[in-house]
């Protein structure tokens, strides 16, 4: 991964600024080495045969038009989105009576603002972004999840054998408070003293900064930057956040507004179930047979610049995280989320523990 600052380069897309918290702080994005550019238009729609919904919104009968539903992604399509595109490719949305349009955000897109303005029915958002947006007054409700594990990690050079070895060493951070919270948790969780770790602001250059020796380690995402760095330097150590005392929680959420849930609750529930089935299909695919999911991602998004080999590597890494602790996909387990909420405030990401009951839809899978 290069260190180019070209806004269309993979290195820049590693952490694009397409999501911004309402406070104006740029939010870290998952690494997008799978794509060479952001698409500002629509990624595709689930067309084909038509049908009508049953009362539960999950089955169809021939003869009636599918109901349109829009979903805006959080960043350019990559491995974490494969379940959505597999659901689209296999007609799972269509069978649920829905014509789903998956939209790819532009560089200034903000899921919370798009939802509030009624410009999208659903949006994929990071759990921390949802919590912070709600803290600032946004009325957002999570209706499903893509990834069931935290994605943050410390990516360390081979000489750093464990997190507490970072005492006295320089670690790269973007400058976001969430980076410091993750770094503190990982070092402290290994018995080290986070105050003894030197911080260096490196922006979104984790991979080149570690490779060049500018820093001994950097905060990044294990499913993307961790894969990229390990490919370049196989003896890289990847210390995942939830392996050092952080709770397990669903990182990427599907979010709606109460207004949409009141008017189209059946459609949203049908979408949540169909997308969960898409992720179940991907998660259950045997190792080394992910080419179909990657093809669905490329064809469904229309982004031919997505590199199949890189995407397959990232999908192999992240696929186990599509499944929760009892083997389900798409779920929002309230017990886990309450533990996360306590931790979220404890480490200072939010001012107080998020209200899980208000944040999670009562009909959400696994809630």
């Amino acid at each position: 991964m290069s260190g180019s600052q070209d806004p269309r380069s993979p290195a820049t897309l590693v952490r694009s600024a397409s999501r911004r918290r309402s406070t104006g702080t740029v939010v870290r994005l998952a690494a997008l080495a799978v794509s060479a550019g952001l698409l500002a238009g629509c990624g595709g729609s689930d067309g084909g045969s038509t049908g009508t919904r049953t009362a539960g919104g999950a089955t169809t009968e021939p003869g009636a038009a599918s109901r349109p539903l829009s979903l805006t992604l959080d960043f350019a399509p990559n491995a974490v989105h494969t379940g959505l595109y597999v659901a689209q490719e296999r007609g799972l949305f269509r069978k649920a009576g829905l014509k789903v349009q998956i939209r790819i955000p532009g560089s200034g897109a903000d899921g919370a603002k798009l939802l509030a303005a009624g410009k999208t029915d659903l949006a994929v958002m990071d759990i921390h972004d949802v919590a912070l947006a709600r803290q600032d007054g946004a009325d957002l409700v999570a209706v499903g999840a893509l990834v069931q594990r935290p994605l943050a990690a410390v990516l360390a050079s081979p000489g750093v054998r464990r997190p507490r070895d970072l005492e006295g060493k320089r670690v790269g951070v973007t400058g976001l408070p969430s980076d410091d919270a993750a770094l503190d948790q990982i070092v402290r969780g290994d018995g080290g003293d986070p105050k003894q770790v030197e911080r260096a602001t490196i922006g979104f250059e984790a991979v080149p900064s570690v490779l060049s020796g500018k820093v001994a380690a950097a905060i990044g995402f294990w499913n993307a930057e961790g894969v990229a760095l390990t490919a370049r330097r196989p003896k890289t150590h990847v210390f995942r956040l939830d392996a050092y005392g952080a709770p397990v929680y669903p990182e990427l959420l599907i979010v709606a507004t109460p207004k949409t849930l009141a008017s189209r609750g059946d459609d949203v529930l049908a979408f949540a179930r169909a997308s969960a089935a898409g992720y179940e299909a991907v998660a259950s695919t045997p190792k080394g047979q992910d080419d179909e999911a990657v093809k669905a991602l490329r064809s469904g998004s229309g982004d031919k610049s997505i590199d199949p080999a890189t995407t397959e590597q990232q999908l192999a890494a992240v696929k186990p995280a599509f499944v929760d602790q009892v083997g389900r996909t798409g779920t929002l387990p309230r017990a886990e989320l309450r533990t996360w909420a306590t931790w979220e405030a404890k480490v200072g990401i939010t001012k107080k523990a998020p209200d899980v009951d208000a944040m999670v839809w009562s009909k959400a899978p696994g809630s």
Side-chain angles (χ1 to χ4, degrees):
M1 184 175 294
S2 75
S4 170
Q5 295 300 311
D6 185 328
R8 294 180 60 85
S9 73
T12 302
L13 289 174
V14 161
R15 290 300 151 56
S16 95
S18 65
R19 290 198 327 244
R20 295 182 182 272
R21 292 177 179 159
S22 56
T23 56
T25 304
V26 179
V27 179
R28 178 195 302 275
L29 293 184
L32 301 181
V34 299
S35 174
L38 289 173
L39 303 181
C42 299
S45 61
D46 191 28
S49 62
T50 60
T52 58
R53 298 175 301 117
T54 64
T59 60
T60 62
E61 298 174 357
S66 297
R67 299 173 71 95
L69 193 74
S70 57
L71 169 74
T72 301
L73 301 182
D74 48 339
F75 44 87
N78 71 96
V80 298
H81 302 122
T82 50
L84 295 169
Y85 286 101
V86 166
Q88 184 184 62
E89 183 78 11
R90 295 189 178 185
L92 301 182
F93 296 136
R94 183 182 66 247
K95 292 174 184 177
L98 302 174
K99 186 175 183 180
V100 174
Q101 183 183 62
I102 302 176
R103 297 173 176 172
I104 302 168
S107 60
D110 183 317
K113 291 181 179 178
L114 292 173
L115 287 165
K119 294 183 178 180
T120 188
D121 298 313
L122 303 169
V124 177
M125 294 181 64
D126 184 276
I127 191 171
H128 308 299
D129 296 349
V130 176
L132 285 162
R134 285 183 54 84
Q135 178 175 275
D136 289 339
D139 202 357
L140 303 176
V141 182
V143 302
L146 308 189
V147 178
Q148 300 287 335
R149 294 288 187 277
L151 299 179
V154 168
L155 314 176
S157 57
V160 179
R161 298 186 178 277
R162 55 189 305 169
R164 69 187 186 196
D165 291 344
L166 291 170
E167 292 183 357
K169 293 183 173 62
R170 180 180 297 174
V171 177
V173 294
T174 63
L176 301 178
S178 56
D179 277 17
D180 287 313
L183 177 57
D184 289 353
Q185 177 69 65
I186 292 169
V187 172
R188 187 184 301 112
D190 191 41
D193 182 359
K195 294 181 181 179
Q196 300 303 313
V197 178
E198 182 182 351
R199 321 288 167 112
T201 301
I202 60 172
F204 304 129
E205 299 293 329
V207 173
S209 295
V210 175
L211 286 173
S212 68
K214 180 179 179 179
V215 294
I219 293 290
F221 290 118
W222 56 260
N223 61 302
E225 289 157 304
V227 171
L229 187 56
T230 301
R232 297 281 296 277
R233 184 172 290 169
K235 293 185 179 181
T236 294
H237 294 288
V238 178
F239 307 123
R240 298 188 186 187
L241 181 61
D242 55 331
Y244 292 94
V248 171
Y249 55 82
E251 177 85 25
L252 297 177
L253 308 180
I254 302 170
V255 183
T257 63
K259 181 179 179 180
T260 296
L261 295 177
S263 63
R264 304 195 62 189
D266 282 353
D267 289 340
V268 173
L269 181 58
F271 175 89
R273 289 172 174 171
S275 62
Y279 277 93
E280 182 179 4
V282 176
S284 62
T285 302
K287 184 177 181 181
Q289 299 181 27
D290 294 323
D291 56 319
E292 180 184 348
V294 174
K295 287 178 182 177
L297 177 71
R298 296 184 78 227
S299 62
S301 68
D303 188 352
K304 303 305 181 184
S305 69
I306 293 175
D307 178 62
T310 301
T311 308
E312 287 186 26
Q313 290 177 347
Q314 293 185 342
L315 182 55
V318 78
K319 190 163 65 172
F322 292 159
V323 180
D324 69 14
Q325 297 192 78
V326 294
R328 303 170 300 178
T329 54
T331 58
L332 293 170
R334 287 178 188 263
E336 287 183 8
L337 286 165
R338 290 191 176 98
T339 302
W340 158 80
T342 300
W343 177 84
E344 190 88 345
K346 181 180 178 181
V347 298
I349 297 176
T350 54
K351 296 176 181 178
K352 62 180 182 179
D355 183 344
V356 171
D357 289 332
M359 179 174 160
V360 177
W361 191 31
S362 60
K363 295 182 181 180
S367 65

